Amino acid sequence: MQKIGAYVLVVTYFMIAIIGGYNCYISFSYPTKYKTTINSVCSQFDIPQSLFFALIKAESNFNPNAKSSAGAIGLTQVLPSTAQYICTKNNLNCQSFNLYNPEDSLYIGAIYL
């Protein structure tokens, strides 16, 4: 009977270690920075959160200061000319947006998406 209890304890320990390691891997590989803002823009524009997190991960790896060789800026890697077009098309004040600002980048990126 003690062997069964020890076996259950060992299996439980390994399951906790595996699940904990997996969760750690997921949170490291797929960070949830800016979650509040992302939730907000995803709700506003009816975008699946997982899609938007994947887009940010692929485009900038959650670096708000990212800039591509083509000139795309910020978390969602939008070109300034594209941001200008999005602002004009949606009657937004372009002067108030800074693509290096995470909230602005996420908002413009969500509209564009």
Side-chain angles (χ1 to χ4, degrees):
M1 192 67 163
Q2 279 185 318
K3 286 185 179 182
I4 292 174
Y7 177 73
V8 169
L9 185 63
V10 169
V11 168
T12 302
Y13 172 77
F14 280 114
M15 290 302 293
I16 291 170
I18 289 169
I19 291 169
Y22 177 75
N23 287 339
C24 183
Y25 166 76
I26 292 298
S27 65
F28 180 74
S29 299
Y30 300 97
T32 55
K33 292 179 180 179
Y34 316 108
K35 187 173 187 172
T36 303
T37 306
I38 290 170
N39 290 344
S40 175
V41 297
C42 286
S43 295
Q44 187 175 353
F45 297 105
D46 197 27
I47 299 169
Q49 289 179 2
S50 56
L51 173 67
F52 209 56
F53 274 110
L55 172 112
I56 297 162
K57 172 73 174 166
E59 292 295 334
S60 67
N61 199 26
F62 291 87
N63 177 4
N65 297 314
K67 185 171 183 178
S68 74
S69 59
I73 297 172
L75 292 172
T76 54
Q77 291 291 282
V78 176
L79 288 167
S81 59
T82 303
Q84 177 74 37
Y85 170 77
I86 290 167
C87 288
T88 303
K89 186 174 179 184
N90 292 281
N91 297 320
L92 301 171
N93 179 5
C94 297
Q95 303 301 331
S96 66
F97 286 101
N98 174 2
L99 291 174
Y100 287 113
N101 178 316
E103 288 79 17
D104 292 348
S105 179
L106 294 171
Y107 185 74
I108 294 293
I111 294 173
Y112 189 48
L113 183 62

